[in-house]
Amino acid sequence: MHPTIPRLQEIVAKGDETLIAEILAEDVHFQPPTYYKIWTGRAPVAAILGHVGQIFSDFRYRRIMGEGKDWAMEFQCKVGDLDAIGVDLITLNEDGFVQEFEVVMRPYKTIGALREAMNARVSTDARFLKFREALS
C-alpha cells in the first residue's frame, strides 16, 4: 500500500486542515458529493475537508482497495443522526500527493444534510469569499 493511504486514513477523520494540506498536491482537484463542481487548490480543498471532518461523526474507513496511484476507500459515518456510506476515490501524483479526490455517498437525505451543514459552516468562514475562485 502506498504510504499516503494509511496517512490519509489517519488524518481525514480528524478534520485538521493543516494535516490534510500536507498530503494534498498544490493543484489537487476535489469533487464533493453535494454538487457537481470541482474545487481546485491545496488551501481551499484542505479547508473544505477540514469542515467536513467537523461535520461527520463516527467516521471510519471500512474497506480499502487499489494499487499504485489509484485507490477506493469505503467509509461510513453519521451526519447529525443520519447514517451514510461513501467512497473516497483517490488518485496520487508521481510524488505521492493526493491529486484527485472524489467522494460518492448515499443516501440522498444524508447528502442533503451534509450540504446544509457545509453551507452553514462556510458561510461563516471568510476565506470562502476568496476560495470561490477555486470552483470550476
Side-chain angles (χ1 to χ4, degrees), residues 36-92:
Y36 201 73
K37 294 264 186 183
I38 297 173
W39 288 88
T40 300
R42 180 180 288 145
V45 171
I48 290 164
L49 293 174
H51 280 297
V52 169
Q54 302 303 311
I55 293 169
F56 285 170
S57 62
D58 299 332
F59 183 94
R60 73 176 184 88
Y61 283 108
R62 300 179 349 165
R63 290 188 293 171
I64 299 175
M65 299 151 275
E67 65 179 319
K69 297 188 316 182
D70 295 310
W71 296 86
M73 304 170 65
E74 180 186 43
F75 64 87
Q76 71 181 49
C77 66
K78 287 189 170 288
V79 176
D81 61 350
L82 300 172
D83 292 315
I85 294 174
V87 177
D88 291 339
L89 301 171
I90 306 293
T91 300
L92 305 176

Side-chain angles (χ1 to χ4, degrees), residues 122-134:
V122 301
S123 69
T124 61
D125 186 338
R127 297 174 300 166
F128 278 86
L129 291 173
K130 176 184 158 193
F131 288 162
R132 289 181 188 263
E133 298 167 3

